[in-house]
């Protein structure tokens, strides 16, 4: 049997295969971030489709950190009962589920949250609120509290979102971080809040509860986070007890080298962070999860067999085909039907929840 379908574990979390549904903004939560029946149905469909681990779309830890409409929330205890319904539905299908927790920072809008967006450093001509020391302390508590809610709701772990230009990614990136205090300057300082968030989460959830991170290998911007600095962050987190690292890259504000790239035509176009993953795999001892344009079972298998990564993470292909993993396991090894045109996210922005626009037109 293919290594892709063998049982493995991330800390105490036993997984049925090496396929991960990467965090995807579903656009299906209620206005206050609560779980809805539509969101539960989406998670159940993914679980029935054979994916070993589901990572939820980014769940905001504080109201002013909301990134978009109908985004899942983790900022208050009143959300826990709905989250419990979702985790139970996934567990009943034999799949594990992790909550991704995040704060959007400068990628929020006052018209969305009613509050002035928090930024790492002041930006000329912009009406933002530069984060103070007290704000940082409050944010660390907010992330830890959100992780505690995830554990109380039955999630099998949490993933800290420190990629794609969201708040923790902004701290890591010199493109956004021009601070002159203990949270700015070299990579040790720029990663300080991330380490504080991780340590506060670990104190809240305990040593045996899986804590993961999503990290940019590079911002792919001249003034942004570079690979060598990202490797340092990965090593620091691994040495502190992190359980797994999902490797991504790029900024939401960049079109060409964004996290969700277009123009994936051949196997050579797939896994566009593979060379960076090789560097990470040789630098850290914890499990590595690789996302980014993987569309073929053969590519996924080679990446694992060659030791480039331990797990394969996908987003857009599972929007098009929630049953993709079961299809591959059954012997139908055709590549994913996803054409990587990003039209699925435009559907979500319209308020109907994320779905494949191409597939919708064919119905």
């Amino acid at each position: 049997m293919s290594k892709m379908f063998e049982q493995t574990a991330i800390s105490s979390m036993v997984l049925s295969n090496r396929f991960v549904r990467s965090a995807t903004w579903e656009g299906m939560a209620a206005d206050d971030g609560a779980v809805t029946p539509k969101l539960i149905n989406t998670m159940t469909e993914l679980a029935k489709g054979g994916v070993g681990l589901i990572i939820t779309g980014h769940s905001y830890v504080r109201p002013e950190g909301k990134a978009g409409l109908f985004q899942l929330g983790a900022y208050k205890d009143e959300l826990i009962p709905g989250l419990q319904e979702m985790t139970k539905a996934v567990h009943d299908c034999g799949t594990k589920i992790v909550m991704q927790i995040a704060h959007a920072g400068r990628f929020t809008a006052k018209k969305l949250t009613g509050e002035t967006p928090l930024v790492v450093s002041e930006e000329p001509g912009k009406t933002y609120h530069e984060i103070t020391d007290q704000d940082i302390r409050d944010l660390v508590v907010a992330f830890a509290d959100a992780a505690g809610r995830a554990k109380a709701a039955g999630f099998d772990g949490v993933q800290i979102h420190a990629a794609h230009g969201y708040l923790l990614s902004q701290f890591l990136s010199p493109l956004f971080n021009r601070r002159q205090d203990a949270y700015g300057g070299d990579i040790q300082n720029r990663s300080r809040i991330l380490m504080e968030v991780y340590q506060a989460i670990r104190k809240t959830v305990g040593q045996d509860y899986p804590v993961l991170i999503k990290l940019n290998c590079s911002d792919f911007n001249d003034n942004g986070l570079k690979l060598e600095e990202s490797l340092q962050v990965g090593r620091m987190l691994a040495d502190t007890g992190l359980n797994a690292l999902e490797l991504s890259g790029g900024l939401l504000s960049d079109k060409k080298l964004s996290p969700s790239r277009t123009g994936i035509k051949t196997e050579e176009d797939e896994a566009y962070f593979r060379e960076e993953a090789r560097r990470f795999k040789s630098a850290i001892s914890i499990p590595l999860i690789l996302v980014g344009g993987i569309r073929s079972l053969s590519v996924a298998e080679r990446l694992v067999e060659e030791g480039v990564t331990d797990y394969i993470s996908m987003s857009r292909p599972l929007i098009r085909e929630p049953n993709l993993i079961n299809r591959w396991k059954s012997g139908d090894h055709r590549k994913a039907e996803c054409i990587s045109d990003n039209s699925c996210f435009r559907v979500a922005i319209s308020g109907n929840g994320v779905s494949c626009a191409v597939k919708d037109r064919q119905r």
Side-chain angles (χ1 to χ4, degrees), residues 223 280 330:
N223 300 313
F280 264 84
S330 72

Side-chain angles (χ1 to χ4, degrees), residues 300-311:
E301 288 176 326
R302 283 199 302 273
L303 290 167
V304 171
E305 289 168 359
E306 293 174 5
V308 177
T309 187
D310 299 293
Y311 294 90

Side-chain angles (χ1 to χ4, degrees), residues 101-236:
I101 50 179
H103 189 294
R106 72 183 302 277
F107 290 130
T108 63
K110 188 172 183 178
K111 63 181 180 181
L112 177 68
T113 66
E115 301 185 42
T116 302
L118 291 175
V119 294
V120 178
S121 301
E122 286 186 355
E123 299 183 23
K126 301 283 187 178
T127 307
Y128 291 144
H129 170 62
E130 182 174 291
I131 296 172
T132 65
D133 287 349
Q134 184 60 53
D135 291 328
I136 289 173
R137 289 191 287 271
D138 292 342
L139 281 165
V140 170
V141 171
F143 271 95
D145 288 348
R149 293 183 189 104
K151 185 176 182 181
F155 284 90
D156 299 289
V158 292
Q159 184 186 62
I160 305 164
H161 194 356
H164 304 167
Y166 287 116
L167 183 62
L168 296 178
S169 173
Q170 291 163 27
F171 267 95
L172 293 174
S173 176
L175 179 65
F176 303 108
N177 187 342
R178 298 175 295 280
R179 300 176 72 92
Q180 302 298 314
D181 61 3
Y183 294 91
D186 64 20
I187 191 60
Q188 294 282 340
N189 281 359
R190 282 185 274 126
S191 62
R192 188 180 303 276
I193 188 174
L194 180 55
M195 299 303 295
E196 291 176 352
V197 164
Y198 169 74
Q199 289 161 355
I201 288 173
R202 180 58 76 198
K203 185 176 180 180
T204 299
V205 300
Q207 294 301 314
D208 297 329
Y209 190 70
V211 180
L212 296 71
I213 193 168
K214 190 167 195 172
L215 185 69
N216 268 8
C217 59
S218 171
D219 289 347
F220 298 103
N221 183 292
D222 289 342
N223 300 313
L225 180 71
K226 301 296 192 295
L227 175 60
E228 293 302 327
E229 290 185 325
S230 184
L231 284 166
Q232 292 183 55
V233 176
R235 281 192 290 263
M236 285 189 290

